[in-house]
Amino acid sequence: MSVRVRYAPSPTGEPHVGNIRSALFNWLYARSVGGTFIVRIEDTDQARLVPGAEDAILDALEWLGLDWDEGPRKGGPFGPYVQSERQALGIYGEHADRLVAEGKAYLCYCTPARLDAMRKAQQAAGRSPGYDRRCLDPAEAERAQAENPVPVVRFKMPVEGTIVVHDLVRGDVSFEASLLDDFVLLKSDGFPTYHLANVVDDHLMEITHVMRAEEWLPSAPRHLELYKALGYEMPHLVHLPMILGPDRSKLSKRHGATSALHYRDDGYLPDAMFNFLALLGWSLDDSTDVISREELVARFSIERILASPAVFNAEKLDWFNGVYIRQLGVEELADAMLPWLEAGLGATIDRDYLLRIIPLERERLRKLSDAPEMLSFFFEEQPAVDPEKLVGKGMDREATRGALEGALTVAEGAEPWTANALEPAYRALAEKLGLKTGGLFGAMRVAVTGRTAAPPLFDTMAVLGRERCLARLRHALGALGG
Ligand code: GLU
């Protein structure tokens, strides 16, 4: 039987990186075994829906190259793939009705106020909270109905014993039945709960493996009983480890951005993010971290999914991004950087000029969004120059003036205008002026770039070109004052 896996997000907020990690593992597994990857939108909790969230989630998948075989924007033979649309077809109601008819579920008329009071009393008495099964008694149910005519449907769970679910990563996991109450299948608005819709759809969509975050593990014993009651076979379960922040508390906004789209919009490369997320709960071995998408597909296995929590380390992500940036060819990197530069600098960028700049800056670049700031001095007409910074260590204003005047003269006559020719010419100048090269080159660097830290000076001057350098040296002399 061929593998069918699904990513089943609820459109209740941003595409959280932890949630997208679930999508990625499902995708990887499907692609690694030639299976089918399905996206299903679980939007039955109408109160929690956030407008735009579904599109944001799908956009995040597309950005990361997690293409799906069936689902929204795509269709497929098991549609519709949005639960509210399936609800309108009566799919969940039919299932609930069948369970009620078979005595495996029952109508509950208890009011929210009663349930609330019950919960408080249980808490006060130190008992675990759960429905007290009042409406299981027909006489009681009738009495409750008089007060509240619109029922929910509850599933009849076993009251005692142990429920054992098997997880492919964690092995057998046991749950005390007495701690699991008769949960709601169908709400009073006629919408199914997550449990009912999820189980029914996984069955109808012929899902073979459920891979989802560990936080859903407590739902598994409920689902197991529900599968049994419906006479359906339960898919294999794979719960993915929790994702923590560096302080080892659950990853949240406190740790920084959690939306996958934030990373897209902040200039991360999808391949870097892909590699980084793949290692949140899976490993190839104990040491390899840079793994291409193709290799991940080839090597992914459920056996190497970890049970222990993964730590989301934003510095590591930056490191990955640097690695992937350096793996790009100059042309590819130019294409990736151009929109960022044009937006950030508000100017049209000469691509050929950029192609010559990239080799100088590629090593230092961590993310595309840093490019405008990092490269601005190449494009500005005249970068701002702070006269204080022109005067380097062991120099005074006079010496700096002499240095810059000498630099200007050399620049006027240097032939050819290449880094290889410029360097000896300027070393000779330092000697002639009796200056340390550090002092001369430092002043020149500030003059031509406006910065104290920049790529190697003569390569930078070569790329900037003679005219720009002359203009900037003259400007620096002006800034230095008489
Ligand atoms: N809709 C659930 C979520 O938002 C899906 C959980 C599952 O995969 O079963 O994560």
Side-chain angles (χ1 to χ4, degrees):
M1 192 155 106
S2 86
V3 163
R4 290 176 57 83
V5 290
R6 82 320 188 259
Y7 167 55
S10 299
T12 55
E14 58 173 32
H16 190 283
V17 284
N19 209 270
I20 296 295
R21 188 272 313 253
S22 296
L24 189 141
F25 276 49
N26 278 285
W27 183 92
L28 270 178
Y29 185 51
R31 295 294 172 259
S32 71
V33 297
T36 304
F37 176 55
I38 295 143
V39 173
R40 179 176 76 226
I41 302 296
E42 302 207 324
D43 61 346
T44 60
D45 193 347
Q46 296 284 304
R48 291 181 57 227
L49 295 187
V50 171
E54 177 180 330
D55 274 326
I57 292 166
L58 298 176
D59 290 349
L61 299 183
E62 286 182 354
W63 173 59
L64 286 167
L66 303 176
D67 57 321
W68 54 100
D69 306 305
E70 299 174 22
R73 296 185 183 171
K74 180 105 196 190
F78 294 83
Y81 293 90
V82 177
Q83 286 185 332
S84 55
E85 292 170 27
R86 301 173 67 74
Q87 138 82 13
L89 299 176
I91 293 174
Y92 312 114
E94 280 164 22
H95 280 81
D97 290 349
R98 168 149 80 83
L99 290 170
V100 172
E102 293 172 0
K104 296 168 179 165
Y106 57 96
L107 303 184
C108 169
Y109 298 90
C110 291
T111 59
R114 176 179 185 269
L115 295 174
D116 201 44
M118 177 195 73
R119 229 170 277 127
K120 288 202 177 108
Q122 288 165 336
Q123 261 160 16
R127 278 182 288 135
S128 69
Y131 183 59
D132 61 6
R133 294 191 142 193
R134 175 191 184 206
C135 288
L136 194 51
D137 175 345
E140 285 286 344
E142 212 179 304
R143 224 165 293 149
Q145 187 179 12
E147 210 187 321
N148 173 30
V150 197
V152 301
V153 177
R154 284 188 189 273
F155 182 67
K156 225 197 263 181
M157 282 288 282
V159 283
E160 52 185 22
T162 319
I163 303 173
V164 180
V165 295
H166 186 75
D167 180 279
L168 294 185
V169 173
R170 282 148 221 276
D172 286 343
V173 188
S174 302
F175 296 86
E176 280 312 309
S178 62
L179 299 178
L180 300 168
D181 71 344
D182 291 352
F183 59 94
V184 174
L185 294 173
L186 216 53
K187 294 178 272 189
S188 53
D189 62 4
F191 275 89
T193 55
Y194 154 72
H195 300 299
L196 177 64
N198 190 271
V199 163
V200 165
D201 285 346
D202 281 348
H203 171 74
L204 294 178
M205 295 181 179
E206 298 180 8
I207 300 303
T208 57
H209 295 70
V210 166
M211 298 173 99
R212 62 183 169 204
E214 184 178 351
E215 60 183 295
W216 298 101
L217 187 57
S219 298
R222 297 192 161 96
H223 294 183
L224 177 71
E225 293 299 324
L226 195 46
Y227 277 105
K228 280 203 298 206
L230 289 166
Y232 295 159
E233 199 186 325
M234 190 176 190
H236 296 295
L237 295 181
V238 179
H239 286 91
L240 308 173
M242 294 233 292
I243 301 180
L244 310 178
D247 63 356
R248 303 199 71 82
S249 68
K250 192 169 183 224
L251 183 69
S252 73
K253 289 218 171 73
R254 277 187 306 115
H255 298 111
T258 50
S259 167
L261 293 182
H262 164 89
Y263 291 94
R264 178 194 67 184
D265 300 340
D266 200 20
Y268 287 82
L269 298 181
D271 284 344
M273 190 73 179
F274 189 101
N275 191 159
F276 173 74
L277 288 178
L279 297 181
L280 292 182
W282 181 86
S283 71
L284 177 61
D285 49 41
D286 293 328
S287 57
T288 313
D289 39 25
V290 178
I291 316 174
S292 70
R293 189 181 290 253
E294 294 68 35
E295 200 181 351
L296 282 165
V297 168
R299 307 287 294 274
F300 185 82
S301 69
I302 290 176
E303 290 71 46
R304 291 203 60 91
I305 293 176
L306 310 163
S308 53
V311 175
F312 188 98
N313 180 342
E315 283 165 26
K316 184 83 185 191
L317 173 57
D318 284 359
W319 177 83
F320 268 113
N321 209 48
V323 168
Y324 277 86
I325 281 178
R326 290 192 292 279
Q327 279 183 7
L328 292 180
V330 173
E331 299 270 349
E332 284 171 298
L333 185 51
D335 291 337
M337 278 164 88
L338 260 169
W340 290 89
L341 287 169
E342 298 201 329
L345 301 175
T348 313
I349 298 299
D350 176 346
R351 194 167 180 279
D352 289 331
Y353 182 38
L354 178 59
L355 289 176
R356 291 193 293 129
I357 294 169
I358 284 175
L360 300 185
E361 295 282 14
R362 184 162 47 178
E363 289 300 313
R364 293 198 302 149
L365 191 63
R366 284 281 168 279
K367 44 190 178 161
L368 299 175
S369 56
D370 292 340
E373 212 286 310
M374 250 171 90
L375 272 57
S376 62
F377 68 88
F378 281 106
F379 298 97
E380 283 157 355
E381 183 63 34
Q382 171 61 62
V385 169
D386 173 356
E388 302 287 313
K389 290 202 176 119
L390 281 170
V391 182
K393 252 197 246 128
M395 309 250 298
D396 59 13
R397 246 183 152 73
E398 255 335 286
T400 305
R401 164 161 292 281
L404 292 177
E405 277 166 355
L408 187 58
T409 310
V410 171
E412 278 162 347
E415 270 323 322
W417 188 263
T418 62
N420 282 345
L422 288 170
E423 178 158 359
Y426 279 104
R427 287 194 183 280
L429 175 66
E431 197 160 330
K432 187 173 126 200
L433 297 178
L435 289 172
K436 291 214 170 88
T437 51
L440 173 64
F441 297 174
M444 288 171 62
R445 177 174 296 109
V446 174
V448 298
T449 68
R451 306 176 182 212
T452 49
L457 177 61
F458 302 109
D459 295 300
T460 302
M461 289 176 70
V463 169
L464 280 167
R466 191 197 308 267
E467 289 315 314
R468 277 194 195 89
C469 290
L470 292 178
R472 291 180 184 194
L473 286 165
R474 286 189 193 111
H475 176 86
L477 277 164
L480 197 59

